[in-house]
Amino acid sequence: MNKTILNIIRFVALILFQVFVVNHIRLGGYVHPYVYVIFVMLLPINIPNWQLLLSGFGIGLAVDLFCGTPGLHAGATTFMAFCRPFILDLLSGHQKYENVQSPNLNQLDGIWFVKYTSCMVLVHHLFLFVAESFSFRLFGQVLLRILISAPVSVFLIMMILYIFKSDKKRDSR
Amino acid sequence: MQELLDFIKKHHFVILFILLEVISLLLLARSQNFQKQRVISTTNDVVGKFSEWGSEIGNYFRLSKANKQLAEENAFLRQQLAVVVDTTSNSYVINERDTIYEYIPAQVVKNSINQANNYIIIDKGRVDGIERDMAVISSEGLVGVVADVSKHYASIISLLHSNSVIGVRFQNNQEIGSLVWETNNYKYGIVKDIPTHVVLQQGDTVLTNSWSYIIPEDLMVGTVEELYLSSKGDLNNAKIKFASDFATLRHVYVIKDLYKSELDSLRMNQN
C-alpha cells in the first residue's frame, strides 16, 4: 500500500515537473529531454505485466493531455513498458534480482543504472520522435533529434535519481 | 472457449501491449489529419487554465523585453499614422472600406518550439470573436493560423509545424514561393520552388502573397538568409530567418477579416 502511494505521488510530481519545468528547456530547438520516464523505470520489478503496461500508458496519456499530442507519449511509454522486462533481463545476465523490490541506486550500482536508463530512454525516444514526425520523410532529422535529446534526458534522469537517493536511505532505516 | 481464455492468459502481455499501441496510434493518426485539425485536448479550457498559471510566472521574467517590444511597435505605428495623415492631408476621414481587418490582441499562454508539430495557445477564444482559420501575427511578423477555438482559448498552428505551407513573395522582385519548416531550427524556414533566374540578396524581405483566403497579403514573414542552389539546376530553395521570435513569443494579434463571410459566400456560389 505504501508503495502504491509513493508511486502515485511520483506520477503526479513527474508530470508537473515535465510539463512546467523540463518542457521549457530550450537549447537551439533540437533538444527536448523527457524525464517522466523515471516513473516507468522505478516501478517494482515483480509488478504484474498488465499493471506495468497500464501504468506506462497512463503516464503517457497524462503527459499527452498537457502537451496536446493525443496518443504520442502514450504510445512511446507503452512501448517502453513493454521493453522493460527484456531490458532488465538482459542487464542482469538472465539472473533474478534478489532482494531488489524496484530498481534503486542503493542496491544497484551507478554503472548498471546508467546502462538501464540509457536503454529505457533510447527505446522511448526512438518511438516518440519517429511517431511524432509520423513519416520517414525526415528520418535524418529524427535521428539527429534522438541522438541529441537522449543524452540530455539520461543526464537529467541520473541527476534526479541521485538527488532523491539520500531520502530513500533515510526511509529504509 | 477455455482454450481462448488460456491463450489470452498466456499471452496477455503481448495482447495488451498491441491493444494499447493501437489505441495510441489511432489517437495520433486522428490528430495528424491536418485538414480536419481539432486539437481538442489543448484547447480544453481546463488545460488552458493550467497553462495560463504556468505562463504567468514566466511573464514576470520577460516583462522588460515585452515592454521594449511594445514600445518599438508603438513608435512604428505612430510613424505610420503620421504618413497616413500626411498623404490624406485634405481629409482625415479614413474610408470605411479601407478597414477590412480587425486586430484582436491576445497573450500566449502555451507555446513550444522543439516539437516537430508546434502549437500555440492564446488566452482569447470564441467569446472574443476568434474563429478558425484566422491569421495570427506578432509585432514582428506572421506567427500562424488559428486551428481550433474553445470558449476562452484558441490553439494556433505555428509556422513551426511540419505540415505548414505558406505562400510567400519576395518584396524586391515580386517572385513567389512556398514557405515550409523542416522541423530543425525554430529560427529558420525554407522557401521552396524558386526559379533559377531569381537573384536574392541576404536580408531581402519576404512577405505573404495573395494565394491564401486565410492569410492577408503583405504580412511580414522574414528575411532571406541564404540561397541553396539546386544540384539539378531546376528550382532553388532559400533559407529564411523568421521575423517573429518564436522562443519568446508573448503578445500576438489575431487578424479578423471583416469581409470574410462575403468572400466565402462568393466562393461557395462559384462552386
Side-chain angles (χ1 to χ4, degrees):
Chain A
M1 192 59 204
N2 201 6
K3 282 278 170 199
T4 316
I5 293 171
L6 179 71
N7 271 313
I8 291 171
I9 294 171
R10 207 181 268 151
F11 184 92
V12 175
L14 279 171
I15 289 173
L16 293 180
F17 185 62
Q18 176 70 45
V19 172
F20 289 121
V21 181
V22 181
N23 278 358
H24 293 272
I25 296 175
R26 283 165 183 172
L27 300 168
Y30 274 103
V31 183
H32 208 169
Y34 293 99
V35 301
Y36 69 90
V37 298
I38 293 176
F39 175 75
V40 181
M41 284 171 52
L42 297 190
L43 286 170
I45 284 185
N46 51 9
I47 187 173
N49 280 337
W50 62 274
Q51 281 185 21
L52 177 66
L53 283 177
L54 284 181
S55 305
F57 185 72
I59 193 160
L61 208 60
V63 172
D64 278 336
L65 194 68
F66 282 99
C67 294
T69 52
L72 181 64
H73 290 277
T77 46
T78 308
F79 183 58
M80 185 177 62
F82 179 75
C83 291
R84 197 182 93 139
F86 304 110
I87 292 172
L88 280 173
D89 195 42
L90 200 71
L91 287 177
S92 75
H94 306 295
Q95 284 173 341
K96 288 263 182 262
Y97 291 84
E98 279 169 25
N99 305 322
V100 184
Q101 287 215 314
S102 65
N104 64 78
L105 273 170
N106 299 324
Q107 288 175 290
L108 298 158
D109 65 290
I111 304 285
W112 183 90
F113 232 95
V114 172
K115 281 188 205 162
Y116 177 51
T117 311
S118 308
C119 290
M120 293 291 272
V121 164
L122 214 59
V123 165
H124 173 267
H125 283 29
L126 195 68
F127 190 105
L128 186 84
F129 286 115
V130 171
E132 186 187 43
S133 72
F134 213 69
S135 73
F136 292 94
R137 187 163 48 103
L138 298 168
F139 198 67
Q141 291 288 350
V142 171
L143 272 185
L144 192 63
R145 284 159 74 91
I146 295 170
L147 289 180
I148 294 175
S149 291
V152 180
S153 295
V154 173
F155 178 71
L156 281 177
I157 288 170
M158 290 311 290
M159 279 215 311
I160 292 167
L161 289 174
Y162 268 106
I163 288 168
F164 285 95
K165 184 190 168 190
S166 51
D167 290 334
K168 289 221 179 96
K169 250 183 192 161
R170 246 178 279 132
D171 283 349
S172 62
R173 255 177 223 159
Chain B
M1 191 62 198
Q2 189 58 38
E3 279 175 23
L4 180 69
L5 285 177
D6 283 346
F7 179 81
I8 291 175
K9 209 168 183 179
K10 195 176 165 201
H11 297 285
H12 76 276
F13 189 41
V14 178
I15 293 170
L16 186 63
F17 168 68
I18 293 170
L19 185 74
L20 291 177
E21 285 299 349
V22 168
I23 295 173
S24 305
L25 291 179
L26 280 180
L27 284 171
L28 187 62
R30 210 185 52 167
S31 73
Q32 290 283 331
N33 192 336
F34 194 66
Q35 293 303 318
K36 295 175 186 163
Q37 195 68 254
R38 283 280 191 277
V39 197
I40 296 163
S41 58
T42 47
T43 346
N44 188 311
D45 280 353
V46 179
V47 175
K49 199 79 209 167
F50 255 108
S51 308
E52 197 170 336
W53 291 336
S55 82
E56 265 171 24
I57 300 165
N59 270 345
Y60 283 106
F61 297 103
R62 303 192 188 91
L63 269 182
S64 63
K65 189 169 181 193
N67 270 341
K68 195 172 155 234
Q69 264 180 3
L70 291 178
E72 275 169 10
E73 191 187 0
N74 215 345
F76 174 71
L77 291 177
R78 276 175 189 280
Q79 206 179 1
Q80 279 201 325
L81 191 65
V83 173
V84 171
V85 171
D86 267 350
T87 51
T88 59
S89 51
N90 46 3
S91 149
Y92 286 93
V93 184
I94 297 171
N95 188 348
E96 201 184 302
R97 288 282 317 170
D98 289 344
T99 58
I100 57 170
Y101 297 118
E102 184 188 335
Y103 294 81
I104 306 167
Q107 288 257 1
V108 173
V109 297
K110 190 165 177 295
N111 183 16
S112 70
I113 53 170
N114 39 18
Q115 313 275 327
N117 300 315
N118 293 293
Y119 292 91
I120 300 164
I121 311 263
I122 56 170
D123 66 347
K124 292 282 163 71
R126 201 179 302 119
V127 289
D128 307 287
I130 312 279
E131 286 164 28
R132 290 186 65 200
D133 294 346
M134 286 180 174
V136 180
I137 56 168
S138 69
S139 53
E140 284 92 19
L142 185 65
V143 167
V145 174
V146 175
D148 197 12
V149 185
S150 73
K151 200 171 170 197
H152 298 290
Y153 297 95
S155 71
I156 296 156
I157 300 174
S158 167
L159 290 189
L160 311 182
H161 191 294
S162 62
N163 292 340
S164 157
V165 182
I166 307 285
V168 294
R169 182 164 63 78
F170 296 102
Q171 194 181 27
N172 284 0
N173 45 30
Q174 306 297 321
E175 292 287 346
I176 51 181
S178 45
L179 174 75
V180 296
W181 186 59
E182 300 211 311
T183 71
N184 44 15
N185 193 326
Y186 71 93
K187 285 181 178 160
Y188 303 101
I190 301 278
V191 172
K192 300 221 162 200
D193 305 340
I194 307 164
T196 41
H197 66 265
V198 177
V199 183
L200 294 173
Q201 302 287 322
Q202 191 183 6
D204 278 0
T205 305
V206 182
L207 304 170
T208 53
N209 66 22
S210 57
W211 285 353
S212 171
Y213 289 114
I214 297 171
I215 301 168
E217 203 180 346
D218 288 340
L219 292 177
M220 179 70 182
V221 175
T223 49
V224 174
E225 191 73 18
E226 205 180 332
L227 185 65
Y228 299 129
L229 296 177
S230 162
S231 51
K232 291 176 214 147
D234 43 6
L235 294 166
N236 296 331
N237 294 341
K239 187 176 175 185
I240 303 299
K241 190 177 196 304
F242 292 126
S244 302
D245 182 358
F246 286 90
T248 59
L249 211 56
R250 282 294 126 189
H251 302 273
V252 294
Y253 300 92
V254 183
I255 303 180
K256 184 173 189 171
D257 187 341
L258 299 175
Y259 292 90
K260 188 166 190 299
S261 54
E262 202 176 311
L263 186 67
D264 282 347
S265 63
L266 194 66
R267 277 170 58 206
M268 291 290 274
N269 288 344
Q270 267 180 353
N271 298 338

